[in-house]
């Protein structure tokens, strides 16, 4: 209770500090005639910090656009039973970490050709995400920067005709490289700089850091629009996995080297969303009237391996199907600038018999070999049953409160996840609740979130406990 009051007090203090009026001339948008060429073609927000654009010609058809995204986490973690942190038993851990640090560049070298690059780091904490050992290269220090996206794209049928400048009802773009044009769902194609919650649920990326590289694979993709439909399809070469299963276990193993196929089709009922990059925003703060439905898939032959009995191995296909709905709508009196945000998705995973995967984001814990009690089947630290063969239903909702400042907005949110997985004997419910404090609209954000997760007994595979986690996130993105 004291922790929750501490975080709430910090949010209220932030409102008081940032809620004062700011000189409009300092915060005026960096608006140019190339607004239609922004990376994700999203609307300008009042009092946003603008964009980092460099025009390469007078028409705005050739340009460089740069983006930055910094997400810093402060956490209080209620650890799973049997957890050691840096060799010391800890029931609760306080830490700070860099959840995401990103730099992006989009080079529109001609109306028909662009290059997109994103690099940075993820998940650096005091104990993980960097080097190993002690001293100058101690645990968590000096993480390696890597490319998350690196692809080229060619306009086959452009959104606007190069000569007449007329809009084409159907457009087609082809690209190749390391990319995030994923299938499955909207949330599998999410902009991490514009998410409603403090973080993704992560099961929206079913191959995360196994057969993909931070939700990206190497391959080719096609994307575009037809009337109110937005589509994206990809054929990729999954990153190699060769885990070996124990008896009765199914693990990621794609040694046969099969390709993966994915796609997502979305229909826009009202305002159309852009698909000019892989990333779809999680909110518009009521500046658009958006209601979309979508369906998606992912498939890869022989992506898993099981050992049903000693010395007997069997390959299994990876497949995921999904259906989802997204809405971001202004509500109430226009001058109050209120908005409601809703996203709901259903996933059907088939990764082989009783497949289960556990994960803890920036997990600080290791197993205490001398712990006398029950160690959860999820593992230690903040680990949870992430996904598995079976069904997952996820819903999140946010409400933008009435305007009380020219530069600050407050948005409470909540989410619920129901996991019905083949490898467990009881369904699991996961809860998240919190709020976003937007400063200068989406450019700067402070988020608080409390998450509650069930823990499962490794013998009867039913719930025996629950643990929680507090997250305070500071984000700057533009």
């Amino acid at each position: 209770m004291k922790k929750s009051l501490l975080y709430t007090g910090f949010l209220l203090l932030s409102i008081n500090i940032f809620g004062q009026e700011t000189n409009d001339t300092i915060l005026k948008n960096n608006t140019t005639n190339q607004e239609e060429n922004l990376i994700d073609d999203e609307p300008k927000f009042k009092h946003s910090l603008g964009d980092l654009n460099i025009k390469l010609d007078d028409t705005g058809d050739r340009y460089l656009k740069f983006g930055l995204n910094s997400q810093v986490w402060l956490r209080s973690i209620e650890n799973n039973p049997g957890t050691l942190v840096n060799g010391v038993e800890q029931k609760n851990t306080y830490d700070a970490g860099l959840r995401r640090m990103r730099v992006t560049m989009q080079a529109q070298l001609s109306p028909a050709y662009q290059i997109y690059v994103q690099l940075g780091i993820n998940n650096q904490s005091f104990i993980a995400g960097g080097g190993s050992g002690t001293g100058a290269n101690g645990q968590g220090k000096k993480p390696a920067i890597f490319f998350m996206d690196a692809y080229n794209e060619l306009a086959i049928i452009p959104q606007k005709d190069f000569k007449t400048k007329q809009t084409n009802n159907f457009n087609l773009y082809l690209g190749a490289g390391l990319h995030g044009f994923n299938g499955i769902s909207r949330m599998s194609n999410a902009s991490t700089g514009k998410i409603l919650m403090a973080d993704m649920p992560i099961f929206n990326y079913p191959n995360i850091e196994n057969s993909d590289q931070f939700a990206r694979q190497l391959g080719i993709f096609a994307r575009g629009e037809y009337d109110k439909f937005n589509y994206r399809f990809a054929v990729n070469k999954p990153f190699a996995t060769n885990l070996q299963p124990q008896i009765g276990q199914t693990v990621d193993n794609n040694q046969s080297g099969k390709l993966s196929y994915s796609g997502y089709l979305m229909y826009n009922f009202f305002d159309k969303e852009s698909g000019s990059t892989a990333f779809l925003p999680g909110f518009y703060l009521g500046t658009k009237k958006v209601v979309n439905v979508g369906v998606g898939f992912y498939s890869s032959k022989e992506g898993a391996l099981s050992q049903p009995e000693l010395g007997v191995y069997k390959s299994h296909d990876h497949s995921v199907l999904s259906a989802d709905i997204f809405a971001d709508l202004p509500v109430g009196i226009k001058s109050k600038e209120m908005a409601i945000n809703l996203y709901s998705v259903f996933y059907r995973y088939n990764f082989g018999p009783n497949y289960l995967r556990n994960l803890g984001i920036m997990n600080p814990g290791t197993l205490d070999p001398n712990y006398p009690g029950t160690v959860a089947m999820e593992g230690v630290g903040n680990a949870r049953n992430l996904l598995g063969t079976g069904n997952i239903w996820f819903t999140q909702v946010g409400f933008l409160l009435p305007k009380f400042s020219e530069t600050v907005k407050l948005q409470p949110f909540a989410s619920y996840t129901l996991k019905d997985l083949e490898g467990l004997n009881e369904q699991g419910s996961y809860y998240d609740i919190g709020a976003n404090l937007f400063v200068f609209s989406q450019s700067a954000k402070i988020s608080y979130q409390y998450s509650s997760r069930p823990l499962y007994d490794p013998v009867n595979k039913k719930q025996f406990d629950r643990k929680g986690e507090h997250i305070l996130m500071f984000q700057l993105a533009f």
Side-chain angles (χ1 to χ4, degrees), residues 36-47:
E36 293 182 349
N37 294 320
L38 300 182
I39 281 185
D40 40 19
D41 294 336
E42 292 178 16
K44 289 287 186 178
F45 291 96
K46 186 178 181 182
H47 299 309

Side-chain angles (χ1 to χ4, degrees), residues 432-447:
D432 308 280
I433 189 169
N436 294 316
L437 179 72
F438 293 96
V439 185
F440 308 143
S441 194
Q442 65 175 349
S443 299
K445 182 176 73 168
I446 301 172
S447 301

